[in-house]
Amino acid sequence: MSQIYQYLRHFKRSEFSNPDQMSTYLLLKLDWARNKAETPFILTSTYRTNDQRTHGKGLAVDILCTNSKTRLTMLKALLAVDFNRIGIYPDHIHVDVDPDLPPCLWHGTYPSQESNS
């Protein structure tokens, strides 16, 4: 079991779907950003089983964010602690620390909920 959770100020093991699979580097940066933002970071997605991408490697989280003021506060804090892979979505911010992917900032959308038939 990872002992990192005893050192985090703002997150508990129970906030992660598979806490022992999460990157220590990600957790430390996330905790540091949360401290700088001075606003809660509610995690909506952490480790994802059967995901070949960053969430499935324990290298990413999604943070609930539904308004512009909070989004700006969170974004400033995430950038201040050197997150360099950030996705802005309508109701969350994605951050990851995958060393195999290039730094980038992107705006994402969700697939249409409408049926094509």
Side-chain angles (χ1 to χ4, degrees), residues 69-109:
K69 183 178 179 184
T70 303
R71 189 173 291 111
L72 180 59
T73 299
M74 289 179 173
L75 185 57
K76 284 180 180 180
L78 293 164
L79 290 169
V81 302
D82 294 325
F83 272 104
N84 63 9
R85 291 191 43 78
I86 302 171
I88 310 294
Y89 289 82
D91 66 357
H92 75 276
I93 297 174
H94 167 98
V95 293
D96 73 67
V97 294
D98 193 328
D100 298 327
L101 297 173
C104 65
L105 173 66
W106 70 91
H107 180 265
T109 58

mmCIF file of all heavy atoms in Angstrom, residues 69-109:
data_model
loop_
_atom_site.group_PDB
_atom_site.id
_atom_site.type_symbol
_atom_site.label_atom_id
_atom_site.label_comp_id
_atom_site.label_asym_id
_atom_site.label_seq_id
_atom_site.Cartn_x
_atom_site.Cartn_y
_atom_site.Cartn_z
ATOM 1 N N LYS A 69 -15.393 31.377 -13.039
ATOM 2 C CA LYS A 69 -14.555 31.923 -11.974
ATOM 3 C C LYS A 69 -13.715 30.826 -11.324
ATOM 4 O O LYS A 69 -12.500 30.965 -11.156
ATOM 5 C CB LYS A 69 -15.411 32.628 -10.928
ATOM 6 C CG LYS A 69 -14.598 33.267 -9.837
ATOM 7 C CD LYS A 69 -15.459 33.990 -8.838
ATOM 8 C CE LYS A 69 -14.578 34.589 -7.754
ATOM 9 N NZ LYS A 69 -15.359 35.224 -6.707
ATOM 10 N N THR A 70 -14.347 29.719 -10.969
ATOM 11 C CA THR A 70 -13.630 28.602 -10.362
ATOM 12 C C THR A 70 -12.661 27.989 -11.363
ATOM 13 O O THR A 70 -11.534 27.616 -11.008
ATOM 14 C CB THR A 70 -14.624 27.537 -9.851
ATOM 15 O OG1 THR A 70 -15.514 28.168 -8.934
ATOM 16 C CG2 THR A 70 -13.900 26.400 -9.160
ATOM 17 N N ARG A 71 -13.068 27.901 -12.613
ATOM 18 C CA ARG A 71 -12.205 27.338 -13.655
ATOM 19 C C ARG A 71 -10.906 28.134 -13.766
ATOM 20 O O ARG A 71 -9.814 27.565 -13.843
ATOM 21 C CB ARG A 71 -12.945 27.305 -14.988
ATOM 22 C CG ARG A 71 -12.232 26.561 -16.081
ATOM 23 C CD ARG A 71 -13.105 26.409 -17.327
ATOM 24 N NE ARG A 71 -14.214 25.490 -17.065
ATOM 25 C CZ ARG A 71 -15.496 25.845 -16.982
ATOM 26 N NH1 ARG A 71 -15.864 27.095 -17.163
ATOM 27 N NH2 ARG A 71 -16.429 24.948 -16.736
ATOM 28 N N LEU A 72 -11.005 29.444 -13.742
ATOM 29 C CA LEU A 72 -9.816 30.289 -13.823
ATOM 30 C C LEU A 72 -8.928 30.099 -12.595
ATOM 31 O O LEU A 72 -7.708 29.970 -12.715
ATOM 32 C CB LEU A 72 -10.206 31.761 -13.976
ATOM 33 C CG LEU A 72 -9.037 32.745 -14.064
ATOM 34 C CD1 LEU A 72 -8.132 32.429 -15.252
ATOM 35 C CD2 LEU A 72 -9.565 34.174 -14.140
ATOM 36 N N THR A 73 -9.525 30.048 -11.425
ATOM 37 C CA THR A 73 -8.767 29.837 -10.188
ATOM 38 C C THR A 73 -8.019 28.511 -10.239
ATOM 39 O O THR A 73 -6.824 28.438 -9.926
ATOM 40 C CB THR A 73 -9.710 29.861 -8.960
ATOM 41 O OG1 THR A 73 -10.332 31.149 -8.898
ATOM 42 C CG2 THR A 73 -8.974 29.567 -7.671
ATOM 43 N N MET A 74 -8.711 27.454 -10.637
ATOM 44 C CA MET A 74 -8.087 26.135 -10.718
ATOM 45 C C MET A 74 -6.989 26.109 -11.776
ATOM 46 O O MET A 74 -5.913 25.558 -11.542
ATOM 47 C CB MET A 74 -9.136 25.065 -11.023
ATOM 48 C CG MET A 74 -10.056 24.779 -9.900
ATOM 49 S SD MET A 74 -11.255 23.507 -10.398
ATOM 50 C CE MET A 74 -12.064 23.206 -8.845
ATOM 51 N N LEU A 75 -7.263 26.681 -12.933
ATOM 52 C CA LEU A 75 -6.292 26.686 -14.013
ATOM 53 C C LEU A 75 -5.009 27.415 -13.602
ATOM 54 O O LEU A 75 -3.908 26.927 -13.844
ATOM 55 C CB LEU A 75 -6.901 27.327 -15.261
ATOM 56 C CG LEU A 75 -6.055 27.294 -16.518
ATOM 57 C CD1 LEU A 75 -5.662 25.871 -16.899
ATOM 58 C CD2 LEU A 75 -6.806 27.957 -17.665
ATOM 59 N N LYS A 76 -5.140 28.553 -12.956
ATOM 60 C CA LYS A 76 -3.958 29.285 -12.480
ATOM 61 C C LYS A 76 -3.135 28.424 -11.521
ATOM 62 O O LYS A 76 -1.913 28.383 -11.609
ATOM 63 C CB LYS A 76 -4.378 30.579 -11.784
ATOM 64 C CG LYS A 76 -4.808 31.671 -12.712
ATOM 65 C CD LYS A 76 -5.189 32.904 -11.903
ATOM 66 C CE LYS A 76 -5.633 34.053 -12.761
ATOM 67 N NZ LYS A 76 -5.989 35.238 -11.952
ATOM 68 N N ALA A 77 -3.808 27.750 -10.602
ATOM 69 C CA ALA A 77 -3.106 26.914 -9.628
ATOM 70 C C ALA A 77 -2.438 25.716 -10.301
ATOM 71 O O ALA A 77 -1.301 25.368 -9.966
ATOM 72 C CB ALA A 77 -4.078 26.441 -8.544
ATOM 73 N N LEU A 78 -3.124 25.088 -11.237
ATOM 74 C CA LEU A 78 -2.556 23.935 -11.944
ATOM 75 C C LEU A 78 -1.317 24.334 -12.750
ATOM 76 O O LEU A 78 -0.313 23.624 -12.751
ATOM 77 C CB LEU A 78 -3.616 23.296 -12.850
ATOM 78 C CG LEU A 78 -4.782 22.638 -12.116
ATOM 79 C CD1 LEU A 78 -5.945 22.387 -13.068
ATOM 80 C CD2 LEU A 78 -4.353 21.357 -11.427
ATOM 81 N N LEU A 79 -1.381 25.486 -13.400
ATOM 82 C CA LEU A 79 -0.231 25.978 -14.156
ATOM 83 C C LEU A 79 0.917 26.380 -13.226
ATOM 84 O O LEU A 79 2.084 26.162 -13.536
ATOM 85 C CB LEU A 79 -0.636 27.150 -15.047
ATOM 86 C CG LEU A 79 -1.533 26.796 -16.231
ATOM 87 C CD1 LEU A 79 -2.093 28.059 -16.884
ATOM 88 C CD2 LEU A 79 -0.800 25.932 -17.244
ATOM 89 N N ALA A 80 0.579 26.931 -12.078
ATOM 90 C CA ALA A 80 1.600 27.368 -11.115
ATOM 91 C C ALA A 80 2.447 26.207 -10.597
ATOM 92 O O ALA A 80 3.608 26.400 -10.243
ATOM 93 C CB ALA A 80 0.944 28.107 -9.947
ATOM 94 N N VAL A 81 1.870 25.011 -10.552
ATOM 95 C CA VAL A 81 2.635 23.841 -10.078
ATOM 96 C C VAL A 81 3.145 23.004 -11.247
ATOM 97 O O VAL A 81 3.539 21.857 -11.081
ATOM 98 C CB VAL A 81 1.836 22.989 -9.067
ATOM 99 C CG1 VAL A 81 1.422 23.826 -7.873
ATOM 100 C CG2 VAL A 81 0.638 22.312 -9.700
ATOM 101 N N ASP A 82 3.125 23.598 -12.422
ATOM 102 C CA ASP A 82 3.720 23.015 -13.630
ATOM 103 C C ASP A 82 2.988 21.822 -14.227
ATOM 104 O O ASP A 82 3.616 20.973 -14.867
ATOM 105 C CB ASP A 82 5.200 22.666 -13.411
ATOM 106 C CG ASP A 82 6.045 23.902 -13.186
ATOM 107 O OD1 ASP A 82 5.739 24.938 -13.803
ATOM 108 O OD2 ASP A 82 6.997 23.834 -12.396
ATOM 109 N N PHE A 83 1.663 21.754 -14.052
ATOM 110 C CA PHE A 83 0.924 20.798 -14.873
ATOM 111 C C PHE A 83 1.022 21.317 -16.292
ATOM 112 O O PHE A 83 0.782 22.499 -16.542
ATOM 113 C CB PHE A 83 -0.546 20.712 -14.453
ATOM 114 C CG PHE A 83 -0.813 19.704 -13.368
ATOM 115 C CD1 PHE A 83 -1.038 20.116 -12.067
ATOM 116 C CD2 PHE A 83 -0.850 18.346 -13.648
ATOM 117 C CE1 PHE A 83 -1.290 19.195 -11.068
ATOM 118 C CE2 PHE A 83 -1.106 17.416 -12.660
ATOM 119 C CZ PHE A 83 -1.323 17.838 -11.362
ATOM 120 N N ASN A 84 1.383 20.460 -17.236
ATOM 121 C CA ASN A 84 1.506 20.915 -18.620
ATOM 122 C C ASN A 84 0.662 20.097 -19.593
ATOM 123 O O ASN A 84 0.842 20.177 -20.794
ATOM 124 C CB ASN A 84 2.965 20.966 -19.062
ATOM 125 C CG ASN A 84 3.626 19.615 -19.062
ATOM 126 O OD1 ASN A 84 2.978 18.581 -18.897
ATOM 127 N ND2 ASN A 84 4.933 19.593 -19.251
ATOM 128 N N ARG A 85 -0.276 19.325 -19.048
ATOM 129 C CA ARG A 85 -1.263 18.616 -19.867
ATOM 130 C C ARG A 85 -2.617 18.837 -19.193
ATOM 131 O O ARG A 85 -2.938 18.195 -18.196
ATOM 132 C CB ARG A 85 -0.939 17.125 -19.975
ATOM 133 C CG ARG A 85 0.335 16.867 -20.803
ATOM 134 C CD ARG A 85 0.517 15.404 -21.150
ATOM 135 N NE ARG A 85 -0.706 14.759 -21.584
ATOM 136 C CZ ARG A 85 -1.264 14.878 -22.811
ATOM 137 N NH1 ARG A 85 -0.694 15.596 -23.728
ATOM 138 N NH2 ARG A 85 -2.378 14.243 -23.088
ATOM 139 N N ILE A 86 -3.378 19.787 -19.752
ATOM 140 C CA ILE A 86 -4.639 20.203 -19.141
ATOM 141 C C ILE A 86 -5.719 20.270 -20.210
ATOM 142 O O ILE A 86 -5.528 20.900 -21.253
ATOM 143 C CB ILE A 86 -4.499 21.586 -18.470
ATOM 144 C CG1 ILE A 86 -3.392 21.553 -17.402
ATOM 145 C CG2 ILE A 86 -5.823 22.031 -17.869
ATOM 146 C CD1 ILE A 86 -3.046 22.921 -16.838
ATOM 147 N N GLY A 87 -6.849 19.624 -19.934
ATOM 148 C CA GLY A 87 -8.007 19.685 -20.826
ATOM 149 C C GLY A 87 -9.159 20.371 -20.127
ATOM 150 O O GLY A 87 -9.503 20.016 -19.007
ATOM 151 N N ILE A 88 -9.750 21.348 -20.787
ATOM 152 C CA ILE A 88 -10.882 22.086 -20.243
ATOM 153 C C ILE A 88 -12.154 21.559 -20.906
ATOM 154 O O ILE A 88 -12.295 21.626 -22.126
ATOM 155 C CB ILE A 88 -10.754 23.601 -20.529
ATOM 156 C CG1 ILE A 88 -9.386 24.132 -20.115
ATOM 157 C CG2 ILE A 88 -11.902 24.370 -19.884
ATOM 158 C CD1 ILE A 88 -9.091 24.106 -18.665
ATOM 159 N N TYR A 89 -13.065 21.050 -20.092
ATOM 160 C CA TYR A 89 -14.328 20.491 -20.571
ATOM 161 C C TYR A 89 -15.492 21.264 -19.951
ATOM 162 O O TYR A 89 -15.289 22.028 -19.001
ATOM 163 C CB TYR A 89 -14.424 19.003 -20.205
ATOM 164 C CG TYR A 89 -13.475 18.150 -21.015
ATOM 165 C CD1 TYR A 89 -12.140 18.019 -20.652
ATOM 166 C CD2 TYR A 89 -13.907 17.501 -22.164
ATOM 167 C CE1 TYR A 89 -11.263 17.251 -21.409
ATOM 168 C CE2 TYR A 89 -13.037 16.721 -22.927
ATOM 169 C CZ TYR A 89 -11.723 16.606 -22.535
ATOM 170 O OH TYR A 89 -10.859 15.855 -23.299
ATOM 171 N N PRO A 90 -16.713 21.093 -20.451
ATOM 172 C CA PRO A 90 -17.853 21.854 -19.924
ATOM 173 C C PRO A 90 -18.069 21.722 -18.411
ATOM 174 O O PRO A 90 -18.461 22.689 -17.768
ATOM 175 C CB PRO A 90 -19.052 21.296 -20.697
ATOM 176 C CG PRO A 90 -18.466 20.846 -21.993
ATOM 177 C CD PRO A 90 -17.106 20.296 -21.632
ATOM 178 N N ASP A 91 -17.802 20.528 -17.844
ATOM 179 C CA ASP A 91 -18.053 20.389 -16.406
ATOM 180 C C ASP A 91 -16.867 19.815 -15.621
ATOM 181 O O ASP A 91 -17.029 19.425 -14.471
ATOM 182 C CB ASP A 91 -19.307 19.558 -16.156
ATOM 183 C CG ASP A 91 -19.165 18.110 -16.589
ATOM 184 O OD1 ASP A 91 -18.113 17.740 -17.140
ATOM 185 O OD2 ASP A 91 -20.115 17.343 -16.375
ATOM 186 N N HIS A 92 -15.689 19.782 -16.232
ATOM 187 C CA HIS A 92 -14.515 19.336 -15.490
ATOM 188 C C HIS A 92 -13.223 19.801 -16.157
ATOM 189 O O HIS A 92 -13.233 20.254 -17.293
ATOM 190 C CB HIS A 92 -14.508 17.811 -15.316
ATOM 191 C CG HIS A 92 -14.139 17.043 -16.546
ATOM 192 N ND1 HIS A 92 -15.047 16.719 -17.525
ATOM 193 C CD2 HIS A 92 -12.943 16.540 -16.956
ATOM 194 C CE1 HIS A 92 -14.436 16.026 -18.480
ATOM 195 N NE2 HIS A 92 -13.144 15.917 -18.173
ATOM 196 N N ILE A 93 -12.154 19.682 -15.394
ATOM 197 C CA ILE A 93 -10.810 19.919 -15.906
ATOM 198 C C ILE A 93 -10.047 18.606 -15.791
ATOM 199 O O ILE A 93 -10.015 17.994 -14.728
ATOM 200 C CB ILE A 93 -10.082 21.022 -15.116
ATOM 201 C CG1 ILE A 93 -10.810 22.359 -15.255
ATOM 202 C CG2 ILE A 93 -8.619 21.137 -15.558
ATOM 203 C CD1 ILE A 93 -10.230 23.465 -14.392
ATOM 204 N N HIS A 94 -9.450 18.185 -16.890
ATOM 205 C CA HIS A 94 -8.611 16.981 -16.917
ATOM 206 C C HIS A 94 -7.167 17.429 -16.736
ATOM 207 O O HIS A 94 -6.719 18.381 -17.366
ATOM 208 C CB HIS A 94 -8.760 16.272 -18.267
ATOM 209 C CG HIS A 94 -7.726 15.224 -18.515
ATOM 210 N ND1 HIS A 94 -7.967 13.890 -18.295
ATOM 211 C CD2 HIS A 94 -6.439 15.316 -18.957
ATOM 212 C CE1 HIS A 94 -6.871 13.199 -18.603
ATOM 213 N NE2 HIS A 94 -5.923 14.048 -19.000
ATOM 214 N N VAL A 95 -6.413 16.735 -15.870
ATOM 215 C CA VAL A 95 -4.970 16.951 -15.773
ATOM 216 C C VAL A 95 -4.291 15.595 -15.777
ATOM 217 O O VAL A 95 -4.807 14.623 -15.221
ATOM 218 C CB VAL A 95 -4.541 17.763 -14.530
ATOM 219 C CG1 VAL A 95 -5.040 19.189 -14.610
ATOM 220 C CG2 VAL A 95 -4.984 17.109 -13.240
ATOM 221 N N ASP A 96 -3.141 15.536 -16.441
ATOM 222 C CA ASP A 96 -2.365 14.298 -16.397
ATOM 223 C C ASP A 96 -0.877 14.608 -16.436
ATOM 224 O O ASP A 96 -0.475 15.728 -16.735
ATOM 225 C CB ASP A 96 -2.792 13.318 -17.497
ATOM 226 C CG ASP A 96 -2.357 13.698 -18.888
ATOM 227 O OD1 ASP A 96 -1.134 13.694 -19.163
ATOM 228 O OD2 ASP A 96 -3.233 13.990 -19.721
ATOM 229 N N VAL A 97 -0.101 13.599 -16.070
ATOM 230 C CA VAL A 97 1.364 13.726 -15.999
ATOM 231 C C VAL A 97 2.042 12.635 -16.818
ATOM 232 O O VAL A 97 3.112 12.166 -16.466
ATOM 233 C CB VAL A 97 1.871 13.710 -14.537
ATOM 234 C CG1 VAL A 97 1.396 14.942 -13.778
ATOM 235 C CG2 VAL A 97 1.445 12.429 -13.817
ATOM 236 N N ASP A 98 1.430 12.265 -17.930
ATOM 237 C CA ASP A 98 1.993 11.206 -18.761
ATOM 238 C C ASP A 98 3.260 11.708 -19.455
ATOM 239 O O ASP A 98 3.191 12.604 -20.298
ATOM 240 C CB ASP A 98 0.971 10.742 -19.799
ATOM 241 C CG ASP A 98 1.374 9.450 -20.488
ATOM 242 O OD1 ASP A 98 2.588 9.219 -20.664
ATOM 243 O OD2 ASP A 98 0.484 8.666 -20.843
ATOM 244 N N PRO A 99 4.428 11.148 -19.113
ATOM 245 C CA PRO A 99 5.682 11.622 -19.703
ATOM 246 C C PRO A 99 5.839 11.263 -21.182
ATOM 247 O O PRO A 99 6.715 11.813 -21.854
ATOM 248 C CB PRO A 99 6.750 10.926 -18.858
ATOM 249 C CG PRO A 99 6.091 9.675 -18.376
ATOM 250 C CD PRO A 99 4.640 10.028 -18.184
ATOM 251 N N ASP A 100 5.004 10.350 -21.682
ATOM 252 C CA ASP A 100 5.090 9.935 -23.084
ATOM 253 C C ASP A 100 4.266 10.806 -24.028
ATOM 254 O O ASP A 100 4.300 10.600 -25.240
ATOM 255 C CB ASP A 100 4.654 8.472 -23.231
ATOM 256 C CG ASP A 100 5.555 7.523 -22.460
ATOM 257 O OD1 ASP A 100 6.775 7.801 -22.352
ATOM 258 O OD2 ASP A 100 5.048 6.512 -21.952
ATOM 259 N N LEU A 101 3.536 11.755 -23.473
ATOM 260 C CA LEU A 101 2.690 12.628 -24.287
ATOM 261 C C LEU A 101 3.205 14.065 -24.216
ATOM 262 O O LEU A 101 3.726 14.484 -23.185
ATOM 263 C CB LEU A 101 1.244 12.561 -23.806
ATOM 264 C CG LEU A 101 0.576 11.199 -23.940
ATOM 265 C CD1 LEU A 101 -0.802 11.202 -23.276
ATOM 266 C CD2 LEU A 101 0.461 10.794 -25.401
ATOM 267 N N PRO A 102 3.045 14.830 -25.305
ATOM 268 C CA PRO A 102 3.570 16.195 -25.317
ATOM 269 C C PRO A 102 2.738 17.142 -24.450
ATOM 270 O O PRO A 102 1.529 16.933 -24.276
ATOM 271 C CB PRO A 102 3.460 16.593 -26.795
ATOM 272 C CG PRO A 102 2.328 15.775 -27.314
ATOM 273 C CD PRO A 102 2.408 14.457 -26.570
ATOM 274 N N PRO A 103 3.365 18.179 -23.936
ATOM 275 C CA PRO A 103 2.612 19.193 -23.193
ATOM 276 C C PRO A 103 1.554 19.819 -24.092
ATOM 277 O O PRO A 103 1.800 20.049 -25.277
ATOM 278 C CB PRO A 103 3.678 20.234 -22.831
ATOM 279 C CG PRO A 103 4.969 19.511 -22.902
ATOM 280 C CD PRO A 103 4.797 18.471 -23.976
ATOM 281 N N CYS A 104 0.379 20.066 -23.540
ATOM 282 C CA CYS A 104 -0.656 20.750 -24.316
ATOM 283 C C CYS A 104 -1.801 21.197 -23.416
ATOM 284 O O CYS A 104 -2.006 20.670 -22.323
ATOM 285 C CB CYS A 104 -1.177 19.884 -25.457
ATOM 286 S SG CYS A 104 -2.024 18.406 -24.968
ATOM 287 N N LEU A 105 -2.511 22.173 -23.900
ATOM 288 C CA LEU A 105 -3.727 22.670 -23.274
ATOM 289 C C LEU A 105 -4.808 22.554 -24.334
ATOM 290 O O LEU A 105 -4.616 23.009 -25.459
ATOM 291 C CB LEU A 105 -3.548 24.135 -22.848
ATOM 292 C CG LEU A 105 -4.782 24.855 -22.313
ATOM 293 C CD1 LEU A 105 -5.233 24.250 -20.985
ATOM 294 C CD2 LEU A 105 -4.483 26.332 -22.147
ATOM 295 N N TRP A 106 -5.915 21.903 -23.988
ATOM 296 C CA TRP A 106 -6.967 21.730 -24.983
ATOM 297 C C TRP A 106 -8.337 21.985 -24.395
ATOM 298 O O TRP A 106 -8.528 21.946 -23.186
ATOM 299 C CB TRP A 106 -6.903 20.341 -25.620
ATOM 300 C CG TRP A 106 -7.289 19.203 -24.729
ATOM 301 C CD1 TRP A 106 -8.529 18.652 -24.570
ATOM 302 C CD2 TRP A 106 -6.425 18.459 -23.854
ATOM 303 N NE1 TRP A 106 -8.497 17.616 -23.672
ATOM 304 C CE2 TRP A 106 -7.204 17.478 -23.214
ATOM 305 C CE3 TRP A 106 -5.064 18.530 -23.562
ATOM 306 C CZ2 TRP A 106 -6.681 16.578 -22.285
ATOM 307 C CZ3 TRP A 106 -4.538 17.630 -22.627
ATOM 308 C CH2 TRP A 106 -5.348 16.673 -22.012
ATOM 309 N N HIS A 107 -9.265 22.271 -25.294
ATOM 310 C CA HIS A 107 -10.670 22.435 -24.927
ATOM 311 C C HIS A 107 -11.416 21.245 -25.488
ATOM 312 O O HIS A 107 -11.382 20.997 -26.692
ATOM 313 C CB HIS A 107 -11.232 23.740 -25.512
ATOM 314 C CG HIS A 107 -12.658 23.941 -25.173
ATOM 315 N ND1 HIS A 107 -13.678 23.572 -26.019
ATOM 316 C CD2 HIS A 107 -13.245 24.450 -24.078
ATOM 317 C CE1 HIS A 107 -14.835 23.859 -25.446
ATOM 318 N NE2 HIS A 107 -14.598 24.395 -24.267
ATOM 319 N N GLY A 108 -12.054 20.486 -24.629
ATOM 320 C CA GLY A 108 -12.763 19.290 -25.067
ATOM 321 C C GLY A 108 -14.264 19.472 -25.018
ATOM 322 O O GLY A 108 -14.788 20.347 -24.348
ATOM 323 N N THR A 109 -14.932 18.630 -25.760
ATOM 324 C CA THR A 109 -16.392 18.590 -25.754
ATOM 325 C C THR A 109 -16.813 17.144 -25.551
ATOM 326 O O THR A 109 -15.995 16.240 -25.592
ATOM 327 C CB THR A 109 -16.976 19.114 -27.082
ATOM 328 O OG1 THR A 109 -16.452 18.323 -28.151
ATOM 329 C CG2 THR A 109 -16.621 20.578 -27.301
#
